[in-house]
Amino acid sequence: MEFKTMNTKAIKSTLLNTLFFIAIALTVSACKENHEGEEAIMNNSNETKTDKMKAQENAPTELKTEPVTQAEAKEVSVNDSVTLKGSIIYKELEGGFFAFITESGDRFTLHNLDEQYHQNGLIVEIEGVTKPRMMTITQYGTVLEVLDVKVLDTSKVINRVETQ
């Protein structure tokens, strides 16, 4: 009986030692793989830093512009003076406003229109300055600051009736 007990204890001891050595071997190999992964990340990081430094060396140190022709400058002008033919119309929005639709269908919100021209359906020739950057609540085309109005036809005037 004593022999079996000693044999069982020896086997258990040998198994425990074997498991202990396997666990240590796995831990060491995992650390080694992790260390190799860190080295690869460090190498990639160093390469990225080098690439960034090279890109900064090649970057321009000052901005240079080239002159544009008068025709090109006209295209980007904010305040264009125009003379247009069309109809003044009244729109019911936030208390109402007078707008302008040209013969070609372009839409404008009129700014500084004299009260004598506040007539829905009035056909006119308007001289004014476009203000494409000016914002309004009307959301009806470009703002047109009115400089001069020439009445062409009063036969289609319908006062204070909203035009669709």
Side-chain angles (χ1 to χ4, degrees):
M1 224 25 167
E2 285 182 35
F3 180 70
K4 284 186 176 180
T5 307
M6 283 184 89
N7 223 2
T8 308
K9 286 183 180 179
I11 294 172
K12 284 183 181 179
S13 178
T14 305
L15 281 174
L16 285 175
N17 285 339
T18 305
L19 287 174
F20 180 72
F21 287 115
I22 291 173
I24 289 175
L26 289 174
T27 304
V28 170
S29 69
C31 289
K32 184 178 179 184
E33 287 175 8
N34 191 23
H35 183 66
E36 288 171 357
E38 288 175 0
E39 285 179 5
I41 290 171
M42 295 286 283
N43 287 339
N44 287 341
S45 177
N46 288 337
E47 289 173 10
T48 304
K49 287 179 184 177
T50 304
D51 291 343
K52 286 181 182 178
M53 290 172 61
K54 286 179 184 175
Q56 286 177 349
E57 289 172 3
N58 296 332
T61 56
E62 62 183 69
L63 296 177
K64 296 179 181 178
T65 60
E66 296 178 14
V68 294
T69 65
Q70 189 172 3
E72 291 171 328
K74 182 73 172 160
E75 290 177 15
V76 294
S77 176
V78 174
N79 301 324
D80 284 338
S81 179
V82 293
T83 302
L84 305 165
K85 291 181 184 179
S87 300
I88 295 174
I89 60 167
Y90 181 75
K91 301 298 278 178
E92 287 278 346
L93 176 69
E94 296 291 330
F97 69 96
F98 285 90
F100 183 69
I101 299 178
T102 66
E103 292 174 328
S104 63
D106 295 329
R107 296 175 174 209
F108 295 91
T109 296
L110 298 175
H111 186 69
N112 292 332
L113 178 67
D114 194 289
E115 267 192 55
Q116 68 181 355
Y117 304 111
H118 286 196
Q119 300 176 47
N120 190 17
L122 186 64
I123 297 173
V124 295
E125 181 178 271
I126 292 181
E127 183 183 337
V129 177
T130 59
K131 303 282 185 178
R133 292 187 181 170
M134 182 181 249
M135 294 174 39
T136 68
I137 61 167
T138 64
Q139 299 180 13
Y140 191 84
T142 305
V143 174
L144 179 66
E145 185 175 349
V146 178
L147 301 175
D148 188 40
V149 178
K150 179 181 175 184
V151 177
L152 301 176
D153 186 3
T154 60
S155 67
K156 299 188 180 182
V157 172
I158 45 175
N159 285 325
R160 294 290 178 192
V161 177
E162 182 181 2
T163 306
Q164 297 298 325

